[in-house]
Amino acid sequence: MAKYLLSVHTAAEQTRAPMTEEEMRQAYAQLSVLEKEMGAAGAWVFSGRLHDPDTATVVRVSDGAVLTTDGPFVEAKEHLGGFYVIEAEDLDAALGWASKVTALINAPIEVRPFAGFAAEPGAGA
């Protein structure tokens, strides 16, 4: 089985109305059910939600020195809001899981395979 990253993207200009406590409870319950379904199918590996990009710190090397700067690496209107790492037989299966996630959270999902796993054609070369 190959591993895939399902990255959840959000757009700064697409703000939603704040959710009530009950709406948040229902949303988390629905996501919990989906994650249990992924686990039962052997697909779920890990997931996480990220804080807003203004909480990021970038670490880089410049002229041989390690520097840290506040803020996201890329200034953009869209940013990574969270992710799932899953295992799936193929891209179609990964897209099936991404379809279920996007239907619940109403945000775009980018699906990308991880490189270098044994199930990947040409891995180890």
Side-chain angles (χ1 to χ4, degrees), residues 54-123:
D54 62 349
T55 65
T57 303
V58 178
V59 180
R60 69 181 85 208
V61 175
S62 179
D63 295 325
V66 176
L67 303 174
T68 60
T69 55
D70 291 338
F73 179 67
V74 176
E75 294 291 334
K77 291 181 181 181
E78 297 174 342
H79 62 272
L80 181 64
F83 60 90
Y84 284 84
V85 175
I86 66 166
E87 289 187 324
E89 288 293 326
D90 55 26
L91 178 60
D92 288 338
L95 293 173
W97 289 116
S99 297
K100 291 181 178 193
V101 173
T102 198
L104 283 179
I105 65 171
N106 193 29
I109 307 285
E110 179 181 326
V111 178
R112 291 177 63 185
F114 279 86
F117 288 94
E120 179 186 13

Side-chain angles (χ1 to χ4, degrees), residues 4-99:
Y4 292 86
L5 175 68
L6 310 183
S7 54
V8 180
H9 293 270
T10 59
E13 72 274 358
Q14 293 177 345
T15 58
R16 301 180 199 177
M19 296 174 82
T20 66
E21 288 288 326
E22 179 60 20
E23 289 170 331
M24 287 177 66
R25 189 191 65 70
Q26 289 177 3
Y28 286 129
Q30 290 173 328
L31 283 171
S32 179
V33 168
L34 178 57
E35 288 178 357
K36 287 177 184 170
E37 181 184 348
M38 288 176 160
W44 189 84
V45 175
F46 181 77
S47 66
R49 181 175 175 245
L50 301 173
H51 282 283
D52 289 335
D54 62 349
T55 65
T57 303
V58 178
V59 180
R60 69 181 85 208
V61 175
S62 179
D63 295 325
V66 176
L67 303 174
T68 60
T69 55
D70 291 338
F73 179 67
V74 176
E75 294 291 334
K77 291 181 181 181
E78 297 174 342
H79 62 272
L80 181 64
F83 60 90
Y84 284 84
V85 175
I86 66 166
E87 289 187 324
E89 288 293 326
D90 55 26
L91 178 60
D92 288 338
L95 293 173
W97 289 116
S99 297

